[in-house]
Amino acid sequence: GDSVTQTEGQVALSEEDFLTIHCNYSASGYPALFWYVQYPGEGPQFLFRASRDKEKGSSRGFEATYDKGTTSFHLRKASVQESDSAVYYCALGEFAGTYQRFGTGTKLQVVP
Amino acid sequence: DMKVTQMPRYLIKRMGENVLLECGQDMSHETMYWYRQDPGLGLQLIYISYDVDSNSEGDIPKGYRVSRKKREHFSLILDSAKTNQTSVYFCASSTGTGAYEQYFGPGTRLTVL
């Protein structure tokens, strides 16, 4: 079945560092790919989505490019801030499917 | 204002008691979900509802049931709660399934003693 793998459980960075959170997927079809962000004490929030190969999704300075060849959708940000500290979830959903599959999440901690 | 609400936000129950978690949304979304979130496991889907009285099991439905009698309202019921159902529960809604973004509520932290 479809699945999403986030290899980093936790990432610790200093402010202004470059961020990469890895997301790889496995799907039988051609899914849409998502990033969600969850701040402490809140529910996850939709960050952005990409629906086709080479499409770039972006929001709030974060971006990711759909890469069908490497089955990846890595999240990147050029310069992180302390306020970016949160848990980030990668997810996939088939257009004809019933529900999304979420990765296990990556906790980002940014220290000033 | 697009919003998903959950009540209560915190709940403590004893093992064997019944639990009712409520979720509402003001976006007229057809599809609603219940998830639980546990450390290291991420978000696990319990049930999905496609519309009123149209519900399907997710990945971990055992020990749970749901009710959806109005499009804007979706309930999660635990009959005779167990200690391993201690978790944070999230409700979500979306305009469709699969490839549509989901809007999440703030969560309910349930402790079963």
Side-chain angles (χ1 to χ4, degrees), chain B residues 30-53:
Chain B
E30 292 181 350
T31 311
M32 297 186 74
Y33 312 80
W34 276 107
Y35 294 89
R36 64 177 284 175
Q37 184 180 54
D38 300 291
L41 297 180
L43 294 161
Q44 298 176 273
L45 181 67
I46 306 171
Y47 268 93
I48 180 173
S49 174
Y50 301 105
D51 210 331
V52 172
D53 284 331

mmCIF file of all heavy atoms in Angstrom, chain B residues 30-53:
data_model
loop_
_atom_site.group_PDB
_atom_site.id
_atom_site.type_symbol
_atom_site.label_atom_id
_atom_site.label_comp_id
_atom_site.label_asym_id
_atom_site.label_seq_id
_atom_site.Cartn_x
_atom_site.Cartn_y
_atom_site.Cartn_z
ATOM 1 N N GLU B 30 -17.742 17.783 3.169
ATOM 2 C CA GLU B 30 -18.372 16.460 3.144
ATOM 3 C C GLU B 30 -17.599 15.455 3.977
ATOM 4 O O GLU B 30 -18.168 14.603 4.643
ATOM 5 C CB GLU B 30 -18.456 15.953 1.704
ATOM 6 C CG GLU B 30 -19.422 16.729 0.828
ATOM 7 C CD GLU B 30 -19.466 16.162 -0.587
ATOM 8 O OE1 GLU B 30 -18.618 15.315 -0.917
ATOM 9 O OE2 GLU B 30 -20.350 16.579 -1.359
ATOM 10 N N THR B 31 -16.287 15.529 3.899
ATOM 11 C CA THR B 31 -15.441 14.488 4.481
ATOM 12 C C THR B 31 -14.880 14.916 5.829
ATOM 13 O O THR B 31 -14.379 16.031 5.976
ATOM 14 C CB THR B 31 -14.280 14.145 3.527
ATOM 15 O OG1 THR B 31 -14.800 13.922 2.217
ATOM 16 C CG2 THR B 31 -13.555 12.896 3.995
ATOM 17 N N MET B 32 -14.983 14.024 6.795
ATOM 18 C CA MET B 32 -14.427 14.274 8.124
ATOM 19 C C MET B 32 -13.675 13.047 8.601
ATOM 20 O O MET B 32 -13.945 11.915 8.153
ATOM 21 C CB MET B 32 -15.528 14.668 9.110
ATOM 22 C CG MET B 32 -16.219 15.977 8.737
ATOM 23 S SD MET B 32 -17.408 16.555 9.959
ATOM 24 C CE MET B 32 -16.318 17.153 11.269
ATOM 25 N N TYR B 33 -12.737 13.275 9.514
ATOM 26 C CA TYR B 33 -11.822 12.219 9.956
ATOM 27 C C TYR B 33 -11.632 12.286 11.465
ATOM 28 O O TYR B 33 -11.707 13.357 12.059
ATOM 29 C CB TYR B 33 -10.429 12.399 9.329
ATOM 30 C CG TYR B 33 -10.378 12.646 7.851
ATOM 31 C CD1 TYR B 33 -10.625 13.909 7.326
ATOM 32 C CD2 TYR B 33 -10.044 11.616 6.965
ATOM 33 C CE1 TYR B 33 -10.545 14.151 5.966
ATOM 34 C CE2 TYR B 33 -9.960 11.853 5.603
ATOM 35 C CZ TYR B 33 -10.209 13.123 5.115
ATOM 36 O OH TYR B 33 -10.125 13.352 3.762
ATOM 37 N N TRP B 34 -11.311 11.144 12.040
ATOM 38 C CA TRP B 34 -10.789 11.072 13.399
ATOM 39 C C TRP B 34 -9.435 10.380 13.370
ATOM 40 O O TRP B 34 -9.279 9.299 12.789
ATOM 41 C CB TRP B 34 -11.717 10.302 14.329
ATOM 42 C CG TRP B 34 -12.826 11.128 14.891
ATOM 43 C CD1 TRP B 34 -14.141 11.093 14.556
ATOM 44 C CD2 TRP B 34 -12.714 12.120 15.922
ATOM 45 N NE1 TRP B 34 -14.849 12.005 15.291
ATOM 46 C CE2 TRP B 34 -14.003 12.647 16.143
ATOM 47 C CE3 TRP B 34 -11.644 12.622 16.683
ATOM 48 C CZ2 TRP B 34 -14.261 13.639 17.083
ATOM 49 C CZ3 TRP B 34 -11.893 13.606 17.606
ATOM 50 C CH2 TRP B 34 -13.194 14.102 17.811
ATOM 51 N N TYR B 35 -8.448 11.033 14.022
ATOM 52 C CA TYR B 35 -7.100 10.489 14.153
ATOM 53 C C TYR B 35 -6.736 10.415 15.625
ATOM 54 O O TYR B 35 -7.249 11.169 16.442
ATOM 55 C CB TYR B 35 -6.059 11.410 13.506
ATOM 56 C CG TYR B 35 -6.138 11.575 12.016
ATOM 57 C CD1 TYR B 35 -6.927 12.566 11.436
ATOM 58 C CD2 TYR B 35 -5.378 10.757 11.178
ATOM 59 C CE1 TYR B 35 -6.957 12.737 10.059
ATOM 60 C CE2 TYR B 35 -5.406 10.932 9.797
ATOM 61 C CZ TYR B 35 -6.194 11.921 9.255
ATOM 62 O OH TYR B 35 -6.229 12.085 7.892
ATOM 63 N N ARG B 36 -5.781 9.561 15.937
ATOM 64 C CA ARG B 36 -5.100 9.654 17.215
ATOM 65 C C ARG B 36 -3.623 9.860 16.960
ATOM 66 O O ARG B 36 -3.075 9.416 15.930
ATOM 67 C CB ARG B 36 -5.343 8.428 18.109
ATOM 68 C CG ARG B 36 -4.835 7.118 17.623
ATOM 69 C CD ARG B 36 -5.083 6.002 18.641
ATOM 70 N NE ARG B 36 -4.161 6.053 19.768
ATOM 71 C CZ ARG B 36 -4.227 5.255 20.839
ATOM 72 N NH1 ARG B 36 -5.194 4.348 20.930
ATOM 73 N NH2 ARG B 36 -3.351 5.365 21.813
ATOM 74 N N GLN B 37 -2.989 10.562 17.887
ATOM 75 C CA GLN B 37 -1.581 10.885 17.745
ATOM 76 C C GLN B 37 -0.827 10.416 18.970
ATOM 77 O O GLN B 37 -1.138 10.820 20.099
ATOM 78 C CB GLN B 37 -1.405 12.404 17.577
ATOM 79 C CG GLN B 37 0.027 12.828 17.332
ATOM 80 C CD GLN B 37 0.146 14.329 17.162
ATOM 81 O OE1 GLN B 37 -0.298 15.094 18.006
ATOM 82 N NE2 GLN B 37 0.741 14.760 16.058
ATOM 83 N N ASP B 38 0.144 9.575 18.746
ATOM 84 C CA ASP B 38 0.978 9.041 19.818
ATOM 85 C C ASP B 38 2.438 9.286 19.471
ATOM 86 O O ASP B 38 2.811 9.260 18.286
ATOM 87 C CB ASP B 38 0.717 7.545 19.999
ATOM 88 C CG ASP B 38 -0.725 7.249 20.346
ATOM 89 O OD1 ASP B 38 -1.118 7.603 21.473
ATOM 90 O OD2 ASP B 38 -1.444 6.686 19.509
ATOM 91 N N PRO B 39 3.280 9.496 20.472
ATOM 92 C CA PRO B 39 4.701 9.774 20.223
ATOM 93 C C PRO B 39 5.343 8.696 19.353
ATOM 94 O O PRO B 39 5.209 7.507 19.623
ATOM 95 C CB PRO B 39 5.292 9.794 21.633
ATOM 96 C CG PRO B 39 4.153 10.163 22.510
ATOM 97 C CD PRO B 39 2.941 9.540 21.906
ATOM 98 N N GLY B 40 6.028 9.131 18.308
ATOM 99 C CA GLY B 40 6.728 8.208 17.425
ATOM 100 C C GLY B 40 5.865 7.533 16.385
ATOM 101 O O GLY B 40 6.392 6.894 15.473
ATOM 102 N N LEU B 41 4.560 7.667 16.505
ATOM 103 C CA LEU B 41 3.658 6.996 15.557
ATOM 104 C C LEU B 41 2.970 7.967 14.620
ATOM 105 O O LEU B 41 2.327 7.558 13.653
ATOM 106 C CB LEU B 41 2.606 6.191 16.312
ATOM 107 C CG LEU B 41 3.118 5.051 17.169
ATOM 108 C CD1 LEU B 41 1.952 4.345 17.859
ATOM 109 C CD2 LEU B 41 3.922 4.051 16.336
ATOM 110 N N GLY B 42 3.063 9.240 14.887
ATOM 111 C CA GLY B 42 2.426 10.214 14.022
ATOM 112 C C GLY B 42 0.912 10.163 14.134
ATOM 113 O O GLY B 42 0.351 9.873 15.186
ATOM 114 N N LEU B 43 0.248 10.432 13.012
ATOM 115 C CA LEU B 43 -1.215 10.481 12.967
ATOM 116 C C LEU B 43 -1.744 9.162 12.414
ATOM 117 O O LEU B 43 -1.413 8.776 11.301
ATOM 118 C CB LEU B 43 -1.663 11.631 12.076
ATOM 119 C CG LEU B 43 -1.333 13.025 12.594
ATOM 120 C CD1 LEU B 43 -1.388 14.034 11.465
ATOM 121 C CD2 LEU B 43 -2.301 13.406 13.697
ATOM 122 N N GLN B 44 -2.563 8.506 13.193
ATOM 123 C CA GLN B 44 -3.165 7.247 12.759
ATOM 124 C C GLN B 44 -4.665 7.451 12.559
ATOM 125 O O GLN B 44 -5.360 7.916 13.465
ATOM 126 C CB GLN B 44 -2.922 6.154 13.794
ATOM 127 C CG GLN B 44 -1.444 5.839 14.017
ATOM 128 C CD GLN B 44 -1.285 4.807 15.127
ATOM 129 O OE1 GLN B 44 -1.217 5.121 16.300
ATOM 130 N NE2 GLN B 44 -1.254 3.544 14.728
ATOM 131 N N LEU B 45 -5.161 7.067 11.399
ATOM 132 C CA LEU B 45 -6.564 7.267 11.064
ATOM 133 C C LEU B 45 -7.436 6.205 11.729
ATOM 134 O O LEU B 45 -7.233 5.010 11.543
ATOM 135 C CB LEU B 45 -6.747 7.209 9.552
ATOM 136 C CG LEU B 45 -8.172 7.438 9.054
ATOM 137 C CD1 LEU B 45 -8.620 8.867 9.333
ATOM 138 C CD2 LEU B 45 -8.258 7.128 7.560
ATOM 139 N N ILE B 46 -8.451 6.692 12.456
ATOM 140 C CA ILE B 46 -9.374 5.778 13.134
ATOM 141 C C ILE B 46 -10.599 5.527 12.252
ATOM 142 O O ILE B 46 -10.946 4.374 11.964
ATOM 143 C CB ILE B 46 -9.816 6.357 14.488
ATOM 144 C CG1 ILE B 46 -8.602 6.712 15.347
ATOM 145 C CG2 ILE B 46 -10.715 5.363 15.222
ATOM 146 C CD1 ILE B 46 -8.943 7.493 16.605
ATOM 147 N N TYR B 47 -11.260 6.599 11.845
ATOM 148 C CA TYR B 47 -12.438 6.510 10.994
ATOM 149 C C TYR B 47 -12.463 7.686 10.043
ATOM 150 O O TYR B 47 -11.938 8.752 10.328
ATOM 151 C CB TYR B 47 -13.725 6.538 11.832
ATOM 152 C CG TYR B 47 -14.252 5.186 12.235
ATOM 153 C CD1 TYR B 47 -13.900 4.627 13.458
ATOM 154 C CD2 TYR B 47 -15.105 4.470 11.393
ATOM 155 C CE1 TYR B 47 -14.377 3.382 13.830
ATOM 156 C CE2 TYR B 47 -15.591 3.220 11.771
ATOM 157 C CZ TYR B 47 -15.215 2.686 12.985
ATOM 158 O OH TYR B 47 -15.694 1.451 13.357
ATOM 159 N N ILE B 48 -13.116 7.469 8.906
ATOM 160 C CA ILE B 48 -13.393 8.510 7.941
ATOM 161 C C ILE B 48 -14.893 8.532 7.667
ATOM 162 O O ILE B 48 -15.537 7.470 7.629
ATOM 163 C CB ILE B 48 -12.582 8.298 6.636
ATOM 164 C CG1 ILE B 48 -12.878 9.395 5.621
ATOM 165 C CG2 ILE B 48 -12.852 6.926 6.038
ATOM 166 C CD1 ILE B 48 -11.981 9.334 4.387
ATOM 167 N N SER B 49 -15.420 9.728 7.499
ATOM 168 C CA SER B 49 -16.830 9.868 7.153
ATOM 169 C C SER B 49 -16.945 10.648 5.856
ATOM 170 O O SER B 49 -16.402 11.742 5.731
ATOM 171 C CB SER B 49 -17.580 10.606 8.263
ATOM 172 O OG SER B 49 -18.915 10.855 7.868
ATOM 173 N N TYR B 50 -17.656 10.085 4.885
ATOM 174 C CA TYR B 50 -17.787 10.728 3.574
ATOM 175 C C TYR B 50 -18.971 11.682 3.521
ATOM 176 O O TYR B 50 -19.051 12.526 2.635
ATOM 177 C CB TYR B 50 -17.919 9.661 2.490
ATOM 178 C CG TYR B 50 -16.734 8.732 2.451
ATOM 179 C CD1 TYR B 50 -16.822 7.425 2.944
ATOM 180 C CD2 TYR B 50 -15.514 9.160 1.944
ATOM 181 C CE1 TYR B 50 -15.719 6.579 2.925
ATOM 182 C CE2 TYR B 50 -14.409 8.310 1.927
ATOM 183 C CZ TYR B 50 -14.528 7.028 2.416
ATOM 184 O OH TYR B 50 -13.445 6.195 2.405
ATOM 185 N N ASP B 51 -19.892 11.510 4.442
ATOM 186 C CA ASP B 51 -21.060 12.382 4.573
ATOM 187 C C ASP B 51 -21.942 11.801 5.668
ATOM 188 O O ASP B 51 -21.551 10.828 6.336
ATOM 189 C CB ASP B 51 -21.812 12.496 3.241
ATOM 190 C CG ASP B 51 -22.511 13.839 3.076
ATOM 191 O OD1 ASP B 51 -22.900 14.445 4.099
ATOM 192 O OD2 ASP B 51 -22.682 14.276 1.921
ATOM 193 N N VAL B 52 -23.120 12.359 5.845
ATOM 194 C CA VAL B 52 -24.021 11.882 6.895
ATOM 195 C C VAL B 52 -24.281 10.383 6.739
ATOM 196 O O VAL B 52 -24.588 9.910 5.637
ATOM 197 C CB VAL B 52 -25.349 12.671 6.846
ATOM 198 C CG1 VAL B 52 -26.370 12.052 7.794
ATOM 199 C CG2 VAL B 52 -25.103 14.133 7.190
ATOM 200 N N ASP B 53 -24.079 9.652 7.840
ATOM 201 C CA ASP B 53 -24.339 8.205 7.891
ATOM 202 C C ASP B 53 -23.558 7.418 6.835
ATOM 203 O O ASP B 53 -24.016 6.346 6.405
ATOM 204 C CB ASP B 53 -25.839 7.921 7.749
ATOM 205 C CG ASP B 53 -26.609 8.220 9.029
ATOM 206 O OD1 ASP B 53 -26.012 8.105 10.116
ATOM 207 O OD2 ASP B 53 -27.786 8.576 8.926
#
